[in-house]
Amino acid sequence: MPFVNWLKRRLVVIAGLLTLAYLLLPNIVVTVFSFNQPKGRFNYEWQQFSTAAWKDPCGVADMCGSLSISLQIAVWATVGATILGTMISFALVRYRFRARGAVNSLIFLPMAMPEVVMAASLLTLFLNMGAQLGFWTILIAHIMFCLSFVVTAVKARVMSMDPRLEEAARDLYAGPVQTFLRVTLPIAAPGIAAGALLSFALSFDDFIITNFNAGSTVTFPMFVWGSAQRGTPVQINVIGTAMFLVAVFFVLTSMVVGNRRNKHKA
């Protein structure tokens, strides 16, 4: 009975830890196999510990080139989607205009629509326009499907803002620009940052929409998919592990900064 009572008190914590372990298991496998030295072309069975792939992460032809393309597209897609999404969010929350309800509904369509449908639609649009498929068509497509996620994140933050704070700033003779930079933007910043990070992750990871609209351009997800058909180099696991560690670093940094701010406020 004491064990049953102990289990009941900690059931939620145990369930949360098991769920977290389940989510992190693929990352752990990728990390472990980044130190493997396979005998064949496929890195699916553990053979021997080696750090050769970490010493030469660009040892596979065209891999770092595709990674560079993915990073460039992800950065520019994040910038474009964040700027446009932030402006759309403020417009939807702060202003009343015709078709506002329709825009509110339509903005969520890319999130609900299957990616293959959007990919085929964008490809049809680009072909009808006579656009050359490549870097720019991928970038436009990524901005379009990331936009909805930014609007959702920023809109939720803007809706929770107290308009009296901006009114107080104007009462203290702050101009529109000062009010926006010193009051509105800092309050909306967490939502904007969340939308930007989500956009970067979605853009960097996307395969379906990119594959339809890439032409001869090869991004990192497309390179990984192509490599899986003829052999999986260990360097892919190295890049995946590095991206995972970078993401963990940003999460831990944001937690530390948030805790320090809370301590200062207290």
Side-chain angles (χ1 to χ4, degrees):
M1 293 303 293
F3 174 75
V4 175
N5 294 331
W6 177 88
L7 184 63
K8 288 181 179 179
R9 290 195 302 269
R10 292 168 174 80
L11 185 60
V12 176
V13 176
I14 295 173
L17 291 175
L18 290 175
T19 303
L20 183 62
Y22 176 75
L23 292 173
L24 292 178
L25 182 61
N27 302 96
I28 296 173
V29 172
V30 169
T31 302
V32 170
F33 276 84
S34 68
F35 295 98
N36 188 27
Q37 186 175 350
K39 295 180 179 179
R41 294 180 302 167
F42 296 96
N43 186 27
Y44 297 152
E45 295 182 3
W46 181 262
Q47 300 291 338
Q48 182 181 351
F49 179 85
S50 174
T51 58
W54 281 92
K55 294 177 181 178
D56 188 17
C58 295
V60 180
D62 299 327
M63 190 183 73
C64 282
S66 64
L67 176 64
S68 175
I69 292 173
S70 285
L71 289 173
Q72 291 178 51
I73 292 174
V75 169
W76 287 113
T78 300
V79 172
T82 302
I83 293 174
L84 292 174
T86 301
M87 292 191 293
I88 292 172
S89 301
F90 274 95
L92 291 174
V93 174
R94 296 292 180 85
Y95 299 96
R96 300 290 182 267
F97 52 89
R98 291 183 179 181
R100 178 172 173 269
V103 173
N104 260 319
S105 301
L106 292 173
I107 204 70
F108 293 102
L109 276 183
M111 300 173 62
M113 186 184 301
E115 279 196 50
V116 67
V117 176
M118 178 179 288
S121 302
L122 287 169
L123 176 61
T124 303
L125 173 65
F126 292 138
L127 292 177
N128 287 334
M129 294 175 61
Q132 181 70 33
L133 298 180
F135 181 92
W136 294 108
T137 54
I138 298 174
L139 178 59
I140 293 170
H142 283 205
I143 291 175
M144 289 186 68
F145 79 80
C146 289
L147 194 60
S148 298
F149 295 91
V150 177
V151 171
T152 303
V154 179
K155 184 182 173 185
R157 184 66 179 178
V158 175
M159 291 179 66
S160 64
M161 291 173 57
D162 189 350
R164 290 176 296 182
L165 296 175
E166 295 170 303
E167 294 174 2
R170 288 192 290 267
D171 289 341
L172 295 172
Y173 303 103
V177 176
Q178 286 181 310
T179 302
F180 178 78
L181 293 178
R182 298 193 177 187
V183 179
T184 308
L185 187 60
I187 297 175
I192 297 173
L197 291 175
L198 188 57
S199 294
F200 183 86
L202 291 170
S203 176
F204 182 83
D205 185 58
D206 182 77
F207 173 78
I208 298 177
I209 294 177
T210 304
N211 192 42
F212 270 73
N213 300 279
S216 60
T217 303
V218 179
T219 61
F220 185 68
M222 294 175 64
F223 178 87
V224 173
W225 179 82
S227 298
Q229 311 303 312
R230 56 186 182 272
T232 311
V234 184
Q235 282 81 355
I236 289 178
N237 296 66
V238 173
I239 299 300
T241 302
M243 296 298 294
F244 172 69
L245 293 177
V246 169
V248 171
F249 171 77
F250 276 112
V251 171
L252 294 178
T253 302
S254 64
M255 290 176 61
V256 171
V257 172
N259 290 334
R260 286 184 178 179
R261 288 180 178 177
N262 291 334
K263 288 181 180 179
H264 287 309
K265 290 180 180 179

